[in-house]
Short mmCIF file of all heavy atoms in Angstrom, two decimals:
data_model
loop_
_atom_site.label_atom_id
_atom_site.label_comp_id
_atom_site.label_asym_id
_atom_site.label_seq_id
_atom_site.Cartn_x
_atom_site.Cartn_y
_atom_site.Cartn_z
N LYS B 92 -24.97 -13.16 -20.54
CA LYS B 92 -24.05 -12.04 -20.35
C LYS B 92 -24.09 -11.56 -18.89
O LYS B 92 -23.03 -11.35 -18.27
CB LYS B 92 -24.41 -10.89 -21.30
CG LYS B 92 -23.25 -9.88 -21.40
CD LYS B 92 -23.72 -8.58 -21.98
CE LYS B 92 -23.52 -8.53 -23.48
NZ LYS B 92 -23.80 -7.21 -24.04
N SER B 93 -25.27 -11.40 -18.33
CA SER B 93 -25.36 -10.95 -16.93
C SER B 93 -24.69 -11.96 -16.01
O SER B 93 -24.02 -11.58 -15.04
CB SER B 93 -26.79 -10.78 -16.46
OG SER B 93 -27.59 -10.31 -17.46
N PHE B 94 -24.88 -13.25 -16.32
CA PHE B 94 -24.25 -14.25 -15.47
C PHE B 94 -22.72 -14.11 -15.52
O PHE B 94 -22.06 -14.10 -14.47
CB PHE B 94 -24.66 -15.66 -15.93
CG PHE B 94 -23.86 -16.74 -15.26
CD1 PHE B 94 -24.13 -17.10 -13.94
CD2 PHE B 94 -22.80 -17.36 -15.91
CE1 PHE B 94 -23.37 -18.06 -13.30
CE2 PHE B 94 -22.02 -18.32 -15.27
CZ PHE B 94 -22.31 -18.67 -13.96
N LEU B 95 -22.18 -14.00 -16.75
CA LEU B 95 -20.72 -13.91 -16.88
C LEU B 95 -20.19 -12.68 -16.14
O LEU B 95 -19.14 -12.72 -15.50
CB LEU B 95 -20.31 -13.85 -18.36
CG LEU B 95 -20.60 -15.12 -19.17
CD1 LEU B 95 -20.23 -14.91 -20.64
CD2 LEU B 95 -19.85 -16.33 -18.62
N LYS B 96 -20.97 -11.59 -16.22
CA LYS B 96 -20.52 -10.36 -15.55
C LYS B 96 -20.66 -10.44 -14.03
O LYS B 96 -20.09 -9.62 -13.31
CB LYS B 96 -21.31 -9.15 -16.10
CG LYS B 96 -20.79 -8.76 -17.48
CD LYS B 96 -21.76 -7.89 -18.21
CE LYS B 96 -21.76 -6.46 -17.74
NZ LYS B 96 -22.66 -5.63 -18.58
N SER B 97 -21.42 -11.43 -13.55
CA SER B 97 -21.61 -11.53 -12.09
C SER B 97 -20.56 -12.44 -11.43
O SER B 97 -20.56 -12.59 -10.22
CB SER B 97 -23.01 -12.05 -11.78
OG SER B 97 -23.08 -13.44 -12.04
N ILE B 98 -19.68 -13.02 -12.26
CA ILE B 98 -18.75 -14.00 -11.69
C ILE B 98 -17.91 -13.38 -10.57
O ILE B 98 -17.81 -13.92 -9.47
CB ILE B 98 -17.82 -14.58 -12.80
CG1 ILE B 98 -18.66 -15.45 -13.74
CG2 ILE B 98 -16.69 -15.41 -12.20
CD1 ILE B 98 -17.93 -15.95 -14.95
N ASP B 99 -17.32 -12.23 -10.87
CA ASP B 99 -16.42 -11.61 -9.89
C ASP B 99 -17.19 -11.03 -8.71
O ASP B 99 -16.77 -11.17 -7.56
CB ASP B 99 -15.61 -10.50 -10.57
CG ASP B 99 -14.14 -10.60 -10.21
OD1 ASP B 99 -13.67 -11.72 -9.95
OD2 ASP B 99 -13.47 -9.55 -10.14
N SER B 100 -18.33 -10.38 -9.02
CA SER B 100 -19.01 -9.62 -7.96
C SER B 100 -19.98 -10.46 -7.14
O SER B 100 -20.34 -10.09 -6.04
CB SER B 100 -19.76 -8.44 -8.59
OG SER B 100 -20.66 -8.91 -9.55
N VAL B 101 -20.43 -11.58 -7.68
CA VAL B 101 -21.42 -12.39 -6.94
C VAL B 101 -20.85 -13.77 -6.59
O VAL B 101 -20.71 -14.13 -5.42
CB VAL B 101 -22.74 -12.55 -7.74
CG1 VAL B 101 -23.73 -13.40 -6.97
CG2 VAL B 101 -23.34 -11.19 -8.05
N ILE B 102 -20.48 -14.50 -7.63
CA ILE B 102 -20.09 -15.90 -7.38
C ILE B 102 -18.81 -15.98 -6.55
O ILE B 102 -18.74 -16.70 -5.55
CB ILE B 102 -19.94 -16.65 -8.72
CG1 ILE B 102 -21.32 -16.66 -9.39
CG2 ILE B 102 -19.42 -18.07 -8.49
CD1 ILE B 102 -21.37 -17.24 -10.74
N HIS B 103 -17.82 -15.19 -6.93
CA HIS B 103 -16.56 -15.25 -6.17
C HIS B 103 -16.75 -14.77 -4.72
O HIS B 103 -16.11 -15.29 -3.81
CB HIS B 103 -15.48 -14.44 -6.87
CG HIS B 103 -14.94 -15.15 -8.09
ND1 HIS B 103 -14.01 -14.60 -8.94
CD2 HIS B 103 -15.22 -16.37 -8.60
CE1 HIS B 103 -13.75 -15.45 -9.91
NE2 HIS B 103 -14.48 -16.53 -9.72
N VAL B 104 -17.65 -13.83 -4.54
CA VAL B 104 -17.93 -13.37 -3.17
C VAL B 104 -18.51 -14.53 -2.34
O VAL B 104 -18.12 -14.76 -1.20
CB VAL B 104 -18.93 -12.18 -3.21
CG1 VAL B 104 -19.40 -11.81 -1.80
CG2 VAL B 104 -18.28 -10.96 -3.87
N GLU B 105 -19.43 -15.28 -2.98
CA GLU B 105 -20.03 -16.42 -2.28
C GLU B 105 -19.00 -17.51 -2.01
O GLU B 105 -18.99 -18.12 -0.95
CB GLU B 105 -21.20 -16.99 -3.12
CG GLU B 105 -22.40 -16.09 -3.20
CD GLU B 105 -23.04 -15.82 -1.84
OE1 GLU B 105 -23.11 -16.74 -1.01
OE2 GLU B 105 -23.45 -14.66 -1.61
N VAL B 106 -18.11 -17.72 -2.99
CA VAL B 106 -17.09 -18.76 -2.81
C VAL B 106 -16.18 -18.41 -1.63
O VAL B 106 -15.81 -19.28 -0.84
CB VAL B 106 -16.25 -18.93 -4.11
CG1 VAL B 106 -15.09 -19.89 -3.89
CG2 VAL B 106 -17.15 -19.45 -5.23
#
Side-chain angles (χ1 to χ4, degrees):
Chain B
K92 196 197 267 187
S93 324
F94 170 77
L95 294 176
K96 284 163 77 175
S97 75
I98 291 173
D99 226 30
S100 57
V101 179
I102 297 175
H103 285 176
V104 172
E105 291 298 321
V106 173

